[in-house]
Amino acid sequence: MTTVVLICKECVPGRVKTRLTPALSPVEAARVAAASLDDTIAAVLAMPAERRVLLFDGEHVPAAAASFDVLHQVWGDLDERLAAMFDTVEGPTLLVGMDTPQLTRAHVAPVFVRGTDGQEGADHDAWFGPAADGGFWGLWLREPRGDLVRGVPMSRDDTGAVQLDRLRAAGLHVGLLDELLDVDTIADAEAVAALAPGSRFAAALATVREDDPDAGRDLEEARR
């Protein structure tokens, strides 16, 4: 069965969601990021996975992920960190990030569908979850291999296209998951909160607006 890996970092002010500043203070951005992470952990816990892994950058593992195995990120660029993980795990593996708190079990349902061979993945070798900013929020590999990710330029508007081309060039039969919006900017945060109004993330963002009038004004300006 599939292992689900959640890549994340400890939500320390000044280290997470820095693009939410100056509209939010570093402390407020970290609070919102922590809520996003908790939402994503809850989504992963709802998935019918055999194993759940936190690919973690930090010292203090979130309490909500107490049942996860912890694999610390190696040093290097994001592609190297992801590649090292895919070289370490065994068996079908789904990678998701912490920037899509609207993620639900339904978004990754095809990954867990058994195909004609009786294996998960619905007769695909890979499933790819594109992000609206040109990156990707999810990647499932039936046979995890670091070389399928290593060297892909990350954090660019063509990252997803390059990664998808890499998978197809390797001869993999790739299925596409729904496109999701990553939370990078204040405008993204507002949009995602509207998509998931009952989420911890939406509640944290609303609390920030109530506690800090200046943040609220900046959010209103970003919305226009």
Side-chain angles (χ1 to χ4, degrees):
M1 290 181 64
T2 290
T3 292
V4 180
V5 177
L6 169 56
I7 181 171
C8 64
K9 62 173 62 174
E10 188 173 355
C11 296
V12 176
R15 293 196 63 232
V16 291
K17 290 294 158 218
T18 55
R19 290 174 64 187
L20 294 182
T21 59
L24 303 183
S25 71
V27 170
E28 291 165 342
R31 187 189 312 169
V32 169
S36 177
L37 178 54
D38 280 347
D39 281 327
T40 312
I41 289 171
V44 172
L45 286 170
M47 297 174 190
E50 180 179 49
R51 182 188 181 205
R52 298 172 181 85
V53 176
L54 208 65
L55 183 57
F56 192 57
D57 176 9
E59 297 181 6
H60 304 288
V61 174
S67 63
F68 287 52
D69 295 332
V70 177
L71 182 63
H72 289 279
Q73 297 179 32
V74 302
W75 180 258
D77 292 336
L78 180 56
D79 66 303
E80 290 290 345
R81 288 177 273 151
L82 297 181
M85 180 276 293
F86 278 122
D87 281 336
T88 299
V89 297
E90 296 181 357
T93 299
L94 170 65
L95 168 74
V96 297
M98 63 177 284
D99 297 333
T100 51
Q102 73 275 39
L103 177 69
T104 68
R105 173 174 171 166
H107 287 118
V108 296
V111 165
F112 298 98
V113 173
R114 295 192 180 277
T116 56
D117 59 0
Q119 302 298 311
E120 290 180 337
D123 295 325
H124 289 71
D125 301 309
W127 283 92
F128 181 79
D133 64 359
F136 63 96
W137 60 264
L139 176 60
W140 179 85
L141 296 175
R142 181 185 296 277
E143 297 181 2
R145 291 166 36 194
D147 65 289
L148 293 172
V149 178
R150 188 175 288 108
V152 172
M154 297 289 167
S155 302
R156 298 189 343 191
D157 59 9
D158 65 344
T159 292
V162 174
Q163 181 62 76
L164 186 56
D165 286 346
R166 174 77 68 87
L167 299 175
R168 288 171 171 164
L172 303 185
H173 181 205
V174 184
L176 293 179
L177 301 171
D178 291 340
E179 181 180 277
L180 295 181
L181 175 64
D182 280 347
V183 174
D184 289 321
T185 66
I186 285 295
D188 296 336
E190 283 282 270
V192 169
L195 290 170
S199 64
R200 298 169 182 81
F201 174 81
L205 190 61
T207 298
V208 165
R209 297 184 66 180
E210 293 170 0
D211 292 347
D212 186 344
D214 289 334
R217 283 193 291 270
D218 288 336
L219 288 167
E220 289 294 345
E221 290 175 3
R223 186 189 279 176
R224 295 191 187 105

